[in-house]
Amino acid sequence: MSRDVCVIGAGVVGLASAVNILEHIPDVRVTIIADKFSPNTTADGAAGVWMLYNLGNTPEYLQRRWAETTFHHLETLLKTEESSIAGVTALPMFGISDDPMKQEHWSKIVYGYKQVPTGEMVKLFPYAQRKFGTFHITLLCECRMYLPWLMRRFKERGGKLINERILEFQELTGRYDVIVNCTGVDARLLVADNSVQPIRGQLKRVTAPWIKHAVFDFTSQCYIIPCADNIVLGGTTQHGDWNKKPNEDDSEKILQNAHAIYPSLKNATIEHDWVGLRPGRPSVRLETEIRKVGGKEAKIVHNYGHGGSGITLHWGCAQDTTALVAELLGEKVNFRKQPPSKL
Ligand SMILES: Cc1cc2nc3c(=O)[nH]c(=O)nc-3n(C[C@H](O)[C@H](O)[C@H](O)COP(=O)(O)OP(=O)(O)OC[C@H]3O[C@@H](n4cnc5c(N)ncnc54)[C@H](O)[C@@H]3O)c2cc1C
């Protein structure tokens, strides 16, 4: 039986799916077809914090399973000397808010999750004046480094690339046995899935090397995230907005919110603004569809709609995608069991 698989999409979701398929299904040939590659995908501009955000009604048990698999994959990478090339590092993070913060369902996956007493909050964040807070250590996966690293892994194992925009699945039937659809927000067009909506995110990169930990303010939706070369200040969460140009009002608001947490950021050097469109959907779509196109049968595995968490979920979703592709090819795959969550 022939085993030609194509993955549409070279973002973090598509690339991880392609690598997993290639590494786990015997004798398979994998081609990625995409009109954008790193450094022009959504994850290239994102900070890359392991954090669950904008996932609609995606069931919690699935969020947790995919996120935990991804955490362990990144944690494994962190223990190797490759981590500096792949852009993976540990990141201390505060969540702060005016409202009491409940224990998150993912709190046992990260390191040292705890509520911060109000007395300490006042000392740690004297300007923001938030009463409630949490602290934990999470992982940061900087995709402008991680995607080239994954791409090398894909090519070393014989993966092929085509730079092209696909207008209809019909272009691919007859050429590939299985089509994997990882088109992010553009799935709205290719699949005609009107439930996919952009969630516009504008952010700013600045130089401020004195900031050593991340802060996410749930009251203002402001975030401050130290990356390898600069700090990400965010952000916006604008549902249904397709505008990919940074705008002045958002930029000003981002600065104001960040200065309200750390006034020292007024001394930061501004690098640039960036906008990305999170692939919003009522729920992540990860399933098989057999579609009749142009009188032929297309076997499709969809993997899109990861909202503000594509980096956090990518490896777990890639493994489930691989299992579905294997099933369509009459195979079974076994992924090594992950270590249990920390207690
Ligand atoms: C401001 C901002 C901050 C974020 N921060 C984080 C964070 O800290 N942590 C986190 O986990 N997530 C974060 N995210 C979300 C994350 O970036 C996305 O969920 C993720 O990048 C989506 O990846 P994707 O591969 O599905 O889509 P994309 O990166 O958009 O890739 C889609 C791919 O499909 C291709 N494509 C689409 N249609 C076609 C077609 N018809 N033919 C050929 N190719 C096609 C494109 O060329 C591209 O290669 C953030 C997003 C934004 C905007």
Side-chain angles (χ1 to χ4, degrees), residues 236-281:
T236 69
T237 310
Q238 294 144 330
H239 292 257
D241 188 340
W242 288 92
N243 184 2
K244 284 200 76 178
K245 281 208 178 108
N247 89 47
E248 217 19 73
D249 289 350
D250 289 337
S251 171
E252 196 45 46
K253 187 92 189 134
I254 287 168
L255 278 182
Q256 267 175 22
N257 286 336
H259 295 168
I261 297 172
Y262 288 134
S264 68
L265 282 169
K266 288 179 187 163
N267 298 320
T269 309
I270 304 222
E271 291 190 9
H272 62 267
D273 290 86
W274 175 81
V275 172
L277 304 180
R278 302 174 183 95
R281 197 175 182 273

Side-chain angles (χ1 to χ4, degrees), residues 198-218:
I199 307 175
R200 180 179 181 276
Q202 181 166 327
L203 54 76
K204 199 177 255 308
R205 295 221 176 220
V206 304
T207 312
W210 57 91
I211 303 286
K212 302 291 186 199
H213 54 258
V215 182
F216 195 105
D217 183 350
F218 288 91

Side-chain angles (χ1 to χ4, degrees), residues 37-297:
F37 290 84
S38 181
N40 299 314
T41 77
T42 313
D44 285 285
V49 182
W50 185 98
M51 175 179 171
L52 292 163
Y53 191 54
N54 291 143
L55 277 168
N57 302 319
T58 305
E60 269 185 15
Y61 79 93
L62 282 177
Q63 295 188 29
R64 201 164 43 244
R65 186 154 68 77
W66 291 329
E68 182 163 19
T69 301
T70 307
F71 193 92
H72 290 310
H73 156 69
L74 296 175
E75 196 180 37
T76 305
L77 203 44
L78 186 68
K79 289 180 199 151
T80 71
E81 59 190 59
E82 293 276 291
S83 64
S84 62
I85 305 162
V88 177
T89 188
L91 180 72
M93 180 162 191
F94 288 94
I96 65 174
S97 174
D98 275 344
D99 302 312
M101 297 176 71
K102 64 174 174 49
Q103 176 95 0
E104 299 284 358
H105 66 85
W106 45 261
S107 60
K108 290 195 170 109
I109 301 172
V110 295
Y111 301 101
Y113 184 97
K114 65 166 194 157
Q115 304 280 337
V116 181
T118 302
E120 284 182 21
M121 285 299 296
V122 174
K123 289 182 196 154
L124 282 163
F125 297 97
Y127 303 102
Q129 301 203 337
R130 305 279 183 243
K131 281 204 207 82
F132 301 97
T134 58
F135 175 80
H136 65 275
I137 294 174
T138 184
L139 298 175
L140 183 71
C141 173
E142 287 197 65
C143 284
R144 65 188 175 85
M145 296 158 86
Y146 179 69
L147 294 184
W149 179 83
L150 259 192
M151 183 57 91
R152 271 196 298 280
R153 189 161 153 178
F154 177 69
K155 285 185 183 163
E156 272 164 23
R157 286 158 178 74
K160 299 270 178 291
L161 302 176
I162 298 178
N163 188 352
E164 191 177 292
R165 184 156 184 92
I166 301 299
L167 300 178
E168 296 177 314
F169 287 116
Q170 196 171 340
E171 297 168 38
L172 304 172
T173 46
R175 283 165 63 195
Y176 298 99
D177 302 296
V178 180
I179 300 165
V180 181
N181 171 29
C182 303
T183 49
V185 75
D186 285 345
R188 186 180 167 95
L189 295 173
L190 185 63
V191 187
D193 178 348
N194 289 335
S195 73
V196 178
Q197 285 279 350
I199 307 175
R200 180 179 181 276
Q202 181 166 327
L203 54 76
K204 199 177 255 308
R205 295 221 176 220
V206 304
T207 312
W210 57 91
I211 303 286
K212 302 291 186 199
H213 54 258
V215 182
F216 195 105
D217 183 350
F218 288 91
T219 299
S220 68
Q221 299 297 307
C222 166
Y223 51 87
I224 299 170
I225 298 160
C227 298
D229 297 335
N230 46 35
I231 311 272
V232 168
L233 306 181
T236 69
T237 310
Q238 294 144 330
H239 292 257
D241 188 340
W242 288 92
N243 184 2
K244 284 200 76 178
K245 281 208 178 108
N247 89 47
E248 217 19 73
D249 289 350
D250 289 337
S251 171
E252 196 45 46
K253 187 92 189 134
I254 287 168
L255 278 182
Q256 267 175 22
N257 286 336
H259 295 168
I261 297 172
Y262 288 134
S264 68
L265 282 169
K266 288 179 187 163
N267 298 320
T269 309
I270 304 222
E271 291 190 9
H272 62 267
D273 290 86
W274 175 81
V275 172
L277 304 180
R278 302 174 183 95
R281 197 175 182 273
S283 179
V284 173
R285 184 172 189 201
L286 205 168
E287 63 182 2
T288 297
E289 182 193 5
I290 309 292
R291 228 184 227 228
K292 276 259 180 244
V293 282
K296 287 195 186 131
E297 205 173 67

